[in-house]
Each structure stands twice: as structure tokens, then as C-alpha cells.
Amino acid sequence: MKKIFLLAAIFLTITGLAQKVTVTGIAIDSLSRQPIPNATITLLLNSDSSLVSFTMGNDNGRFELKDIRFGEYRLLITHINYYNRITTFSIKDGNIADLGNVLMHDRSKILSEVTISSEAPPVTIIDDTIQYNAGSFRTPPNANVEQLLKKLPGVKVEKDGTIKAQGEKVNRVLVDGKEFFGNDPKVAIRNLPADAIDKVQVYDRQSEQAQLTGFDDGNYEKTINLTLKKDKKKGMFGKANAGVGNNKRFEGKFNLNSFKGARQMSAIAMANNTNAEGFSFMDILNFKGELAKMQMGGGGNMNINITEEDAAAFGLGGSNNPGIRTTWGSGFNYNNILGNKTDLQSNFFYNRYDPNIESHIQRQYFLPDSSYYYSQNSDNNNINSNQRLNLNVFYQLDSMNTIRIIPSLNLQQTSNSSFTDYQTLTENRGITNEGYSNSFADNKGFTFRNELIYGRKLNRKGRTLSFSLQTSINGSNGNGDLASINSFYKTDGSLLSKDTLDQRNITAATLTGYTARVAFTERIFKRSLIELSIARSKTNSTSAKNTFDYNVQNGKHDQENTLLSNNFENSYGYVHGGLRLRTQKKKYIFSVGAVWQQAYLDGKAIATIKDSLVSKTFKNLLPSARIQYIISKFKRLSINYTASTRQPDIAQLQPVPDNSNSLNIKEGNPNLRQEYNHNIQANLNLVSPYKNKNLFVFFTLQSTRNKIVNADSINALGIKRTKPVNVNGVYNINGNINYSIPLRFLKATIEVSSNISYYNGTQFINSNSNNIKALTVGPEVRLDINPTPKINLSLGTALNFSNTKYSLRSSGETKYIRQEFNGSVDWEMPNLFFLSTGITYIINSQRAPGYNGKIPLWNASLSKQVLRFNRGEIRLSAVDLLNRNIGINRISNQNYIEDSRVNTLKQFFLLSFTYSLSKTGLNNAGGGGMRIMR
């Protein structure tokens, strides 16, 4: 290692001493012989078209490029009114290289006898969109879009496929502005080839109604749009892949795309047991998510959070890629313009997801005067299948009237079995209780949603009338079995009591709802619009559960358990009226407004022992404001504020206890108030396409009044009773910063980023308040080096530091650190061989015994391109060469610290063959456009 640093120091010293030259010149009109102001000047190495420097000419056409070393160069001059001009020259000696007058030909006066293809900068800003030139970022042969996105500054792809751009989660990926298999980003990035992409555009996609009226209604999605290369828009392309390996591992993937003008057709299919996910499992919890969306009030983003219980029930959460998964999926996507008035977007997708997850959990709970320990081992086998159909039809009635219809249908079926054993110990490691449970659940359900949007432009500019109607119908039913034995112990360790459960339950749930909104806009003054809106929403839901105990006399489950049987009926609705003003100037766009909202919640729980009625009314004023400041063409700052409400659901309000888990009894609170959220978000985007320097800053603050949190009471037997209550003073702060610059002396790009989050909240244990303060900081550095056009090196390091303080705990602080070091090499070898290898080294420290570890993960592959036009590829892949992969995770922002370990996919080898349907074969995505000197 010391030798490497010494060689690097010598190299940097020699490079720094190299003589530097200033390149000058003047852009001149070839006919008038007048200077051309504000032309764009790009300097490239003549050998490989690597970017060396950028600048702009002044008002007199003169340009100057400083600190240029000796060598052979190409100078590209571009201007919107002139044909591109390229001139070559060399620098061998002297302090100044004066190119003199460089003639350019006016587009409007001279025929295009010579056309030079455009060489775009790697990153630029177009209005509200950050645009990446895909050809500027090299990827290995046969790479998919996910591998391309990992190269883009400001874009991060997590191990589970989650995409973040400038610190925000990307919820939708489009292809040429059209839906690609609905709103699942993974389908696009893991099934489209990187070499088909021309541009990657990142922007905030507003709602359909906001796009019509011109008002940002706070409902937007961070979106990526993939624009295809021209040759991909008028033909057929795709790939088929099949592979087999040891330990019965297999992989298969197929994608076929046929694009012609507005018509887009795509078919995909996949199957594997190697944890390679080509789609998301977002619809598993669709019923709960749909209910939460219908209950959201006011403006603002709708972020649906899945609880720990939900994650545990479906085997989610914890590790990025827990368990061993077998997945199957197939689908078809069709988009087209029918006639000259109808734009159709449609897709169907089927998937089957079968994970096997073994987990081991250790928790330390904190009490006012002590703590206790809980451990759990579980084995889960789940089969989840889903079918989803999405349509989006836009019809242009005439020049003034439009209508859009967006229906979707999801069919779901799950079959889950779980075996769990658990134990609770006192602070001195004395046993309090222990037990095991064996459960099975089989559920079926459907979700149908439809959105209708009508828009009309009236007889004055800026005057519009729009109407939207969202409707939802959900239904589910299921049955399950639960067998458990729990033992409780005295303080001396002797057995106190034992309870046994052998039950069967039948469940059913329904949801119907609608939200209607009418908005009218009118231009006032020269650059301002005013919007008036009214809305009405109503949702009705039911949930029934009948539980039957085992009857030893006849061997059947026919004895109704009245304590665990109930029937919920819930009705939630709101009406609101809003007023907003929007002003657009040259340097800024500003909007401000408010919505007055009255909401009601009525609920009824019907149980054999005790019935319960709940009726609530809420009145709120929900302000909103947004400002976007245009610093320059490539620099923008935006700040957004919204207020929103979240209602307690009927389960949180019902005072009927849920005893399905005898160690964790839950009961509602009819005195709960609704949550009131203040949300502030800020984005700063500074892009320098001339120097390839980029700075992205993202910041959010959410403060909640009447936050609904848990109040736990724990008795001497370790039985916990949980009841929701309201608290104030809860807030979250999240930030992300990303800065990237070129290191030309290394032919490299370095990217420095960091995320930071701070949580301040309160929970209750045995009537005592426990204030929790959690700080997480995660700096990261990535270095991409291209020493030659055929070698790509990547080095990176990341540190994640967490510090949590608990007011109830005497020591009051928990710290742990996760370190990651990674490196990869992509080498295009002679005779069409390609070597790709990468290693990630993870160090976990300051955790519970058995959950610390140093984990080296080494993957490698060797491939050979074969057949005519390089259409074929034979690849030998090795995963986890050192056979050291384990999955561990820590949670510390609750009333406990949890360390978990799950089973993971271990070492295997895979031999695969890929066939390309395109004559361009399996070439990399960096073949077109301008390659950046990294």
C-alpha cells in the first residue's frame, strides 16, 4: 500500500511540473467576417475524444482555454445559429497557442454540405430537468440501464434496486416520455439494455391536473425519463439470456422491443433463483397503501410508510436482499397514438415471488429503571403471486377539450407459513417467558383504481376548467391457522404458568372510495394565475375477523373465540376549498395558497363481548408555498412548503383489544387526534457543463403536531400492552449533498457525497416518557478512472455512523459504525474477451455479540463475444468467491435496539449465454457521443 501511495505521489509531482499553455482564438462569421458572440468552446484529445476543457466565447467572439498541456487536440465550436466547426491542432512548445480567426458558417445562409454530429456535455440542465448524456458514461458489454445509472453523478442505486436522484427516491421510470410497465422503476432499469439509451432525464413529474392548470399541487413524483437512440426508435432490439450453475442455480431473461414512431411494443420474461430481481413487489401491501392514500388530506406528497409488523408479515425489511428467492415474471407493454386524437399506454405484468427467509433477532428494550432482552428465531416460507393491468388513455376531443382515463387492476394471492421461537430475559439474564408459534395464512385480494381527468381551455389565455375523479374498489379474504405455546416463569426461574393456542381464523376486508376535485384558473396581471378549487372525498371500509379455537371433543376448530373476533366498519371523508396564486418571472416562479378542510371519521367495531362506536370531526387550514429561483441557465434553487394531515385509522381508535399475540396485546384509543404535518423541502442544483462539475443539494424537514406514537406497559411476566397516544415535538431532518469534478491528470471523475438524518421523537414505557434522538451520517467517495478506452477502474468508500440517545437509559447513548470499501475493474481484453471483477469489504462494529463482522464480497465474470456482428456472448460468472456473505442489520430509533441476521445467498458459479437481436451486438453503452476523461 505504501508503494502505491509513493508511486501516486511521484506521478502527481511529474504531472504537476508539466508545462501548461493557453489556447486562444476568435469565432468569426465566414460571410460577414464579424465576431460571433457567446459560442460554446469544447477542447478534446485527438486520440480518443476525451474531454479536456470547456469555455464560452465573449461578446467579441474571443475565447481562452488556460492550463493546457502539450499534445494533439480537436477544438469543437458550437452555436445555435451556426454549423458546428471542428479544427485540429497540436501543442509542442511555447506559452500561447493562438488559433487566430476560426470561421463558422451561418445555418440560414449556407447549405449543409458538411454536417458534424453533435458532441453533448455529460450533464446539463434544461428548464427543470437534469439531463445526462448516456454516451459520456462507459458501461461493460451487455449492461442494463441500472448499471448505467450507477455511473451518473447525483444518482444512486441501492442493492435492492431503489433509485435515488439528488437525494430523493425515484418512483417512476419512463421511456421516451411513456409508461414502461406501469410505475415500477425496476422493470425498466433491469430489463432495458444500456446501449439503447441516448439521454437520461431526471425531473419532478407533476400530477395530471397540475400539468393542465399550471399549478403545482404538491403531488409530484421524482421521475427518470430514458430517451432512446434514434436507431432504436425504428426497429427491433432485445436480448435473450439463459444460464445454469452449481447448487441448482439458474437464470433466464428475455426482452424484445419493437419501436416505430409513436408505437412502442415490449415483451419481457424472467426466471431465476439467484435473487436477481427484475421487478418490484410493491403490490403485496397494496390494500393498506390504497387505504392510506384515500385517507390523506390536503396537499403534499403522499408517502406511505410500511410498519415493522407489515414488513415482518411479508418477510420484508432488514437486509437489502434477505433470504433466498425464486422469482418468475412476464409482461407486455404497448403504447401508440391511435388516429390523431388518442394516445394509448397499456401494460400487463405477472409475477410469482417465493422467498425463504431465516432470521435471528436480538433486542434490548429500555424501561424507566432497567432493561430486558428479547431473542427470536424464525423460518418463513412465502409464495406471493400478482397480476396487474394498467391503462392510460388520453383523448383530444378538440383544440379546447381533453379527457384522460387511467384504470388499473391488481389481483393478488399469498400463501405464507412461519415457524418462530422466542425468549425474554431480565436485565440479569434471568428467564421471564419463552415460547414458539407456528402459523399459516392464505389470502386472496384485488384492487381496482380509476382516475378520470377532464380539462377545458376557455376563451382566454390562462383560463381553464378541470375536473378529476378518483375511484377505488378493494377486496380481500383469507384464512389462517395459529398454534403456539407460551411459558411464564417466576423470578427464581421456576415455571409459573403455560398457555396454549390452537386457532383458526377467517378474515375479509373491503374498501370503496372516491375523491372528486374541480379547479378553475384565471390569468390576473401579466404573469400571474389564480386558482380556485373545491374537493370532496369519501372512503368506506370494512374488516371482519372470526376466530375459532380447537375443540378436543370432535377434533375440529368450531369453538368461536369471542375475544379475538370482531367486525370493523369505517367511514372517512373530507371537503375542502382552496385558493392559490402563481407568479412567473424571468428569474423566479412563486406560488402561495391555502386549503380549508373539514374531515370526519366514523367507525364501529362489532364484537361479541363489547361493541364500540367512534365519531370524530377535524377542521384545518392547510397552507402551501413554493418558490423556484433561476440563478442561471444551469443553476436553480427551489423551496417547497406544504401542510398535510393524517387521520388515525379505525384500528388505532377502537378500544377493543387485539389478543392474537398473547405477549403483545394491542388496544386502540378513541381519544386520538389527527396528525398535522409541516413539510419543507429544498433543492439546489448547480451544473457546470463546460467544466463537468456538478453540485446537488437536497434537504427536507418534517415536523408533526399530535404525532401518533406507541405507549407500552410491560408487566413482570414480560407481557406488553400497546396503546397509541398523541405527542408533540416530533420532527425529522434529512439531507443529501453530492459533488463531482473531473481529475483530468488521472483521466478520472471523483464524486463526494453524504447523507445526514436526524430524528427527534417520543414514546412511552410504563407511563414514562422516553425521548429518542437519532443521528445518522453517511459520507461516501467514489473514483471512476479510465486510463485507456478499454479499461475502467472504480474505487469507493463509505462510512455510516449512527448515534442514538434515550432519555430513559442511564448511559443514554448507543453508537455503531458500518464501513464499506469497494473496487471494480472492467477490462476489454484482446480477441473480444471481457473481464469484470469487483470486491466489497464491509466492516460492522459496536453491535451485539455475533452481529459484528468483516464481510468480503467478491464477484467476477469472464465473457467472450461470439457469432456474426458479436451477437452472442458466453459468460462465466462467480458470485461470492470467498463464500463469506452474511446479512446483518441494526435498528435503533425505537424503544429498543435490534440486531438481526438473515440467511443470504452463498457462493455459486453460473455459465450463461446471451444472444442479441441487434446487429450492433453486445457493444458497450459508451460508444456514442463524447467520452468523459475520468
Side-chain angles (χ1 to χ4, degrees):
M1 184 62 71
K2 292 182 179 179
K3 292 180 179 180
I4 294 175
F5 282 119
L6 179 59
L7 290 174
I10 294 173
F11 177 76
L12 294 176
T13 302
I14 294 174
T15 307
L17 294 175
Q19 189 171 355
K20 299 177 181 179
V21 175
T22 298
V23 178
T24 62
I26 302 175
I28 297 292
D29 187 297
S30 62
L31 294 180
S32 67
R33 301 290 172 171
Q34 295 298 313
I36 301 173
N38 303 320
T40 300
I41 316 298
T42 306
L43 186 64
L44 310 168
L45 273 179
N46 198 34
S47 59
D48 59 5
S49 298
S50 299
L51 175 66
V52 176
S53 184
F54 270 105
T55 190
M56 290 190 70
N58 61 19
D59 293 339
N60 296 319
R62 185 173 180 81
F63 58 86
E64 188 176 89
L65 297 163
K66 295 182 178 181
D67 299 330
I68 308 303
R69 296 181 176 86
F70 292 171
E72 302 286 334
Y73 296 97
R74 290 193 303 139
L75 187 78
L76 169 66
I77 306 179
T78 58
H79 192 282
I80 191 172
N81 297 325
Y82 291 82
Y83 290 109
N84 294 355
R85 174 62 189 270
I86 287 183
T87 182
T88 60
F89 66 96
S90 63
I91 302 175
K92 298 180 179 179
D93 53 24
N95 297 319
I96 297 179
D98 190 357
L99 302 181
N101 295 337
V102 182
L103 301 182
M104 300 187 68
H105 302 293
D106 193 321
R107 289 179 180 271
S108 63
K109 298 178 181 179
I110 297 180
L111 296 176
S112 56
E113 63 275 1
V114 178
T115 301
I116 300 174
S117 60
S118 175
E119 301 192 47
V123 185
T124 188
I125 292 181
I126 303 174
D127 295 328
D128 296 334
T129 300
I130 298 172
Q131 179 172 280
Y132 300 88
N133 178 38
S136 299
F137 305 92
R138 293 182 62 83
T139 55
N142 206 23
N144 57 22
V145 172
E146 179 179 5
Q147 292 167 279
L148 171 63
L149 295 183
K150 290 179 178 180
K151 298 285 186 179
L152 307 184
V155 178
K156 184 176 182 180
V157 183
E158 305 287 356
K159 292 180 180 179
D160 64 354
T162 302
I163 312 168
K164 289 187 177 180
Q166 290 79 56
E168 287 187 90
K169 182 180 177 181
V170 174
N171 294 309
R172 193 178 296 263
V173 175
L174 309 177
V175 177
D176 279 340
K178 301 293 183 67
E179 299 280 358
F180 191 80
F181 288 95
N183 60 347
D184 184 355
K186 285 186 185 178
V187 176
I189 70 171
R190 291 185 168 175
N191 293 279
L192 282 176
D195 58 11
I197 307 304
D198 181 36
K199 300 289 190 301
V200 178
Q201 300 169 336
V202 180
Y203 66 100
D204 292 332
R205 184 175 186 258
Q206 295 182 337
S207 67
E208 296 288 347
Q209 197 166 42
Q211 294 178 48
L212 174 69
T213 63
F215 274 94
D216 181 1
D217 57 8
N219 294 320
Y220 69 87
E221 292 180 307
K222 180 65 73 173
T223 300
I224 286 179
N225 181 45
L226 306 172
T227 67
L228 298 175
K229 294 177 179 177
K230 290 183 179 180
D231 63 316
K232 303 298 182 183
K233 297 182 180 182
K234 52 184 179 182
M236 184 177 296
F237 66 95
K239 290 182 173 69
N241 167 273
V244 294
N246 63 326
N247 299 327
K248 298 183 180 180
R249 299 295 163 212
F250 68 89
E251 275 189 4
K253 183 181 292 188
F254 166 83
N255 70 80
L256 178 64
N257 305 276
S258 176
F259 291 175
K260 184 177 181 180
R263 191 205 67 195
Q264 300 179 347
M265 289 194 301
S266 298
I268 62 174
M270 68 200 73
N272 69 80
N273 62 357
T274 60
N275 288 14
E277 298 173 3
F279 53 89
S280 299
F281 312 108
M282 62 183 68
D283 297 311
I284 295 175
L285 299 170
N286 194 67
F287 179 86
K288 178 167 183 174
E290 190 64 34
L291 176 61
K293 287 182 180 180
M294 298 296 291
Q295 288 187 341
M296 284 290 295
N301 298 327
M302 296 183 292
N303 298 315
I304 308 304
N305 297 317
I306 303 303
T307 66
E308 289 181 71
E309 289 79 5
D310 295 326
F314 293 97
L316 306 175
S319 176
N320 278 329
N321 203 10
I324 298 175
R325 307 170 179 229
T326 301
T327 59
W328 305 79
S330 62
F332 183 76
N333 189 86
Y334 178 78
N335 301 327
N336 203 358
I337 295 179
L338 308 178
N340 55 11
K341 291 187 175 182
T342 304
D343 185 353
L344 170 66
Q345 301 178 48
S346 62
N347 60 81
F348 172 80
F349 194 76
Y350 166 80
N351 65 73
R352 177 185 169 94
Y353 161 59
D354 184 8
N356 172 256
I357 300 176
E358 298 176 12
S359 65
H360 308 275
I361 293 174
Q362 287 191 9
R363 291 178 182 170
Q364 181 181 9
Y365 284 87
F366 304 115
L367 300 177
D369 54 355
S370 63
S371 64
Y372 70 95
Y373 298 92
Y374 172 83
S375 61
Q376 173 185 299
N377 304 297
S378 64
D379 186 355
N380 296 276
N381 286 281
N382 307 317
I383 299 177
N384 309 285
S385 63
N386 173 267
Q387 301 177 65
R388 55 182 186 246
L389 173 66
N390 300 293
L391 299 175
N392 189 327
V393 182
F394 179 79
Y395 186 69
Q396 184 84 35
L397 298 172
D398 53 42
S399 61
M400 306 295 286
N401 297 275
T402 61
I403 187 170
R404 185 182 293 275
I405 303 174
I406 314 174
S408 65
L409 174 64
N410 293 306
L411 303 177
Q412 303 161 37
Q413 184 172 354
T414 63
S415 180
N416 305 323
S417 62
S418 175
F419 178 83
T420 304
D421 64 77
Y422 37 84
Q423 185 179 67
T424 304
L425 303 176
T426 65
E427 190 172 29
N428 297 323
R429 303 291 180 173
I431 188 169
T432 300
N433 61 60
E434 63 180 359
Y436 77 87
S437 66
N438 193 356
S439 64
F440 171 80
D442 191 2
N443 292 278
K444 295 181 180 180
F446 77 93
T447 300
F448 176 77
R449 294 189 72 236
N450 185 53
E451 184 173 7
L452 183 150
I453 304 169
Y454 168 76
R456 176 176 175 81
K457 296 179 180 179
L458 301 178
N459 55 1
R460 182 181 176 184
K461 186 176 181 180
R463 181 180 294 172
T464 66
L465 179 67
S466 62
F467 168 77
S468 68
L469 176 64
Q470 297 178 354
T471 56
S472 292
I473 303 174
N474 291 7
S476 67
N477 59 78
N479 59 80
D481 294 306
L482 172 64
S484 69
I485 297 177
N486 296 307
S487 300
F488 301 92
Y489 296 87
K490 300 177 182 179
T491 55
D492 60 1
S494 60
L495 181 66
L496 174 65
S497 64
K498 179 180 291 188
D499 68 41
T500 302
L501 293 178
D502 187 352
Q503 299 174 340
R504 178 164 295 170
N505 62 73
I506 301 173
T507 60
T510 64
L511 180 147
T512 59
Y514 73 88
T515 300
R517 185 174 185 267
V518 178
F520 173 78
T521 65
E522 178 73 25
R523 180 178 294 275
I524 59 173
F525 310 118
K526 186 177 181 180
R527 297 181 178 271
S528 298
L529 283 174
I530 191 170
E531 181 195 58
L532 302 172
S533 65
I534 57 173
R536 164 76 174 169
S537 179
K538 186 176 182 180
T539 305
N540 294 314
S541 60
T542 66
S543 177
K545 180 179 181 180
N546 295 305
T547 303
F548 301 91
D549 291 327
Y550 179 74
N551 190 335
V552 294
Q553 296 180 355
N554 59 19
K556 298 180 179 180
H557 292 84
D558 59 4
Q559 293 182 331
E560 185 174 9
N561 188 317
T562 56
L563 289 175
L564 301 182
S565 299
N566 51 53
N567 190 337
F568 289 173
E569 295 180 4
N570 180 28
S571 178
Y572 171 77
Y574 66 81
V575 293
H576 76 218
L579 172 66
R580 290 188 293 182
L581 175 69
R582 181 177 186 266
T583 299
Q584 182 169 348
K585 299 285 188 179
K586 183 178 180 180
K587 279 289 187 180
Y588 67 86
I589 302 173
F590 178 79
S591 65
V592 63
V595 170
W596 178 86
Q597 176 179 285
Q598 178 171 307
Y600 67 89
L601 178 65
D602 293 324
K604 178 170 62 174
I606 303 172
T608 306
I609 299 299
K610 179 183 178 182
D611 292 349
S612 175
L613 299 175
V614 173
S615 181
K616 294 277 187 179
T617 301
F618 312 99
K619 297 180 181 179
N620 286 290
L621 183 67
L622 306 174
S624 63
R626 178 180 175 86
I627 184 169
Q628 184 179 49
Y629 179 60
I630 305 169
I631 303 171
S632 68
K633 183 179 180 181
F634 303 114
K635 299 177 181 180
R636 292 172 183 262
L637 171 66
S638 62
I639 301 175
N640 189 45
Y641 164 78
T642 58
S644 61
T645 60
R646 178 182 177 273
Q647 327 307 324
D649 61 45
I650 194 65
Q652 292 174 318
L653 290 167
Q654 298 296 342
V656 180
D658 177 3
N659 298 327
S660 55
N661 184 344
S662 58
L663 298 181
N664 187 6
I665 301 171
K666 299 179 181 180
E667 184 176 352
N669 179 4
N671 296 316
L672 283 179
R673 298 183 294 273
Q674 67 175 179
E675 295 181 355
Y676 190 100
N677 300 301
H678 300 276
N679 305 278
I680 300 175
Q681 177 179 301
N683 293 78
L684 176 64
N685 299 320
L686 305 179
V687 173
S688 177
Y690 308 115
K691 297 183 179 180
N692 194 23
K693 295 181 179 180
N694 311 288
L695 175 65
F696 304 112
V697 181
F698 173 72
F699 168 85
T700 61
L701 167 65
Q702 183 180 75
S703 176
T704 304
R705 188 175 73 235
N706 297 324
K707 177 72 174 179
I708 299 175
V709 301
N710 288 335
D712 298 332
S713 61
I714 303 166
N715 64 19
L717 299 177
I719 299 175
K720 181 173 69 173
R721 300 184 69 95
T722 300
K723 184 177 183 179
V725 297
N726 293 110
V727 298
N728 292 320
V730 177
Y731 60 89
N732 291 281
I733 301 175
N734 293 281
N736 180 277
I737 185 169
N738 182 286
Y739 180 62
S740 62
I741 57 173
L743 300 178
R744 296 189 178 91
F745 62 90
L746 286 178
K747 294 187 178 181
T749 296
I750 186 170
E751 183 176 350
V752 182
S753 62
S754 181
N755 62 75
I756 182 170
S757 64
Y758 183 78
Y759 167 79
N760 184 85
T762 301
Q763 292 183 321
F764 295 89
I765 301 178
N766 292 348
S767 302
N768 290 272
S769 173
N770 184 22
N771 180 244
I772 304 172
K773 297 180 179 180
L775 172 67
T776 302
V777 180
E780 186 173 348
V781 179
R782 188 180 76 188
L783 181 66
D784 287 329
I785 310 173
N786 285 128
T788 74
K790 295 187 177 183
I791 297 179
N792 186 346
L793 307 176
S794 180
L795 301 172
T797 181
L799 173 70
N800 192 275
F801 171 77
S802 295
N803 184 10
T804 306
K805 297 181 179 180
Y806 307 88
S807 61
L808 277 181
R809 194 180 179 198
S810 56
S811 56
E813 192 170 14
T814 297
K815 297 179 181 179
Y816 59 93
I817 297 174
R818 182 183 189 273
Q819 302 173 70
E820 180 177 315
F821 304 91
N822 58 74
S824 65
V825 179
D826 295 323
W827 180 18
E828 186 178 341
M829 305 166 66
N831 300 318
L832 300 178
F833 280 93
F834 197 93
L835 175 66
S836 181
T837 184
I839 187 167
T840 300
Y841 188 63
I842 301 171
I843 302 174
N844 295 293
S845 57
Q846 301 182 11
R847 303 189 180 193
Y851 293 86
N852 296 298
K854 298 178 180 179
I855 310 167
L857 301 176
W858 183 15
N859 301 328
S861 68
L862 178 66
S863 62
K864 173 73 166 70
Q865 294 185 8
V866 296
L867 303 181
R868 192 181 182 188
F869 302 117
N870 300 329
R871 282 183 169 178
E873 180 191 76
I874 300 173
R875 179 186 297 265
L876 177 63
S877 302
V879 176
D880 189 19
L881 271 167
L882 303 178
N883 203 25
R884 295 281 300 278
N885 189 22
I886 59 174
I888 56 180
N889 190 49
R890 166 166 279 207
I891 298 173
S892 64
N893 61 351
Q894 303 292 324
N895 281 336
Y896 55 82
I897 301 172
E898 175 185 289
D899 288 306
S900 61
R901 185 174 70 251
V902 298
N903 63 320
T904 56
L905 196 63
K906 293 287 188 177
Q907 180 191 87
F908 69 91
F909 299 87
L910 195 76
L911 181 64
S912 62
F913 176 74
T914 300
Y915 182 77
S916 173
L917 301 176
S918 172
K919 287 186 178 181
T920 56
L922 302 169
N923 294 329
N924 63 45
M930 176 178 57
R931 187 176 67 80
I932 297 307
M933 180 185 291
R934 295 174 176 273

